[in-house]
Amino acid sequence: MTKIKLCGLTRSDDIETANELAVDYIGFVFARNSSRYLPFDKARELKSRLAENIKAIGVFVNEDPVIVAKILKQGIIDGVQLHGSEDHDYIKKLKELTNKPIIKAYRIRKKEDLNKAYACIADYLLLDSGSGSGQLLDFDLIKDFKRPYFLAGGLDSENVEKAISYLKPAGVDVSSGIETAGLKDRNKMIAFVNNVRKEEKND
């Protein structure tokens, strides 16, 4: 079954919709240059409203691993997603500080990018077309990638069925594709999740 992650949630209404849809993961963005940036205290409040069976993932960009581990220990998030230039040594250090799951995001533009992703020691991979670019990945480029991964970049309710059917990713990650005017749109969230599950029923 394809895992579903709704990323960049910032409001109580977003959490309520995620709970209603019973998704697998939600994401809080802790990168300060993001329009979806969330302070830790606000994330703590939203996490308290999140259903227990949904995992909260914190999105970081080149943050001090000690700070990342501290936020995990406080229970504000259940796992991390790294979107910067975090390398092997960084991830190794973070693994020494926490046993919580680590997702490493890779921008995939050529085969060499896939080779780097394949060798990564993170627990999970996220393959993206860019840093919130909203552009679809070249599906043919990643078609034969051998590690399980989350697919991200340009997904929405209209193209996610085709993406899952063609690539069979372990999970899908969406943010801008479920927004209207920069805010999460309840109807788009519902349509996206329904279409992911519709594709699974068709298999």
Side-chain angles (χ1 to χ4, degrees):
M1 182 177 291
T2 308
K3 301 294 186 183
I4 302 172
K5 177 170 171 282
L6 306 180
C7 200
L9 306 194
T10 58
R11 303 174 299 168
S12 296
D13 287 351
D14 303 340
I15 298 295
E16 290 175 11
T17 303
N19 288 343
E20 178 185 329
L21 294 170
V23 297
D24 302 284
Y25 305 93
I26 60 95
F28 296 139
V29 177
F30 297 131
R32 292 183 179 274
N33 63 346
S34 171
S35 61
R36 305 176 186 97
Y37 167 71
L38 201 64
F40 294 139
D41 287 346
K42 180 63 176 178
R44 188 196 308 274
E45 176 198 336
L46 293 180
K47 177 65 157 61
S48 71
R49 301 171 183 267
L50 188 67
E52 289 186 4
N53 59 326
I54 301 176
K55 301 300 183 184
I57 304 298
V59 178
F60 296 91
V61 176
N62 301 326
E63 182 59 85
D64 183 336
V66 173
I67 293 176
V68 176
K70 179 181 178 181
I71 300 306
L72 283 163
K73 187 175 182 180
Q74 291 177 357
I76 296 174
I77 50 175
D78 305 298
V80 303
Q81 184 170 308
L82 307 174
H83 262 270
S85 58
E86 302 90 356
D87 59 10
H88 176 93
D89 290 340
Y90 179 103
I91 297 172
K92 182 180 178 182
K93 173 66 174 177
L94 187 55
K95 280 179 170 284
E96 292 171 355
L97 296 170
T98 181
N99 62 358
K100 298 295 185 180
I102 300 171
I103 303 169
K104 176 63 178 128
Y106 283 89
R107 183 178 183 181
I108 305 300
R109 291 172 290 183
K110 53 187 184 298
K111 280 290 185 182
E112 289 78 7
D113 298 327
L114 286 173
N115 294 337
K116 290 179 182 178
Y118 189 82
C120 181
I121 63 170
D123 301 292
Y124 305 99
L125 301 175
L126 182 143
L127 305 185
D128 200 349
S129 56
S131 302
S133 67
Q135 298 296 312
L136 275 174
L137 262 174
D138 179 349
F139 288 175
D140 289 329
L141 183 61
I142 62 174
K143 179 70 168 67
D144 298 318
F145 189 67
K146 300 302 183 185
R147 278 187 64 175
Y149 62 90
F150 284 83
L151 177 66
L155 294 177
D156 57 32
S157 62
E158 295 183 1
N159 61 32
V160 71
E161 290 178 79
K162 178 181 178 181
I164 293 173
S165 177
Y166 189 64
L167 296 172
K168 307 295 184 188
V172 289
D173 184 303
V174 65
S175 187
S176 61
I178 50 171
E179 292 180 346
T180 297
L183 295 174
K184 292 298 179 281
D185 182 314
R186 171 180 165 81
N187 291 331
K188 289 184 178 180
M189 294 168 77
I190 293 171
F192 182 88
V193 171
N194 285 346
N195 284 350
V196 172
R197 292 174 176 159
K198 183 194 302 181
E199 171 55 32
E200 291 170 352
K201 290 177 183 177
N202 291 337
D203 284 348

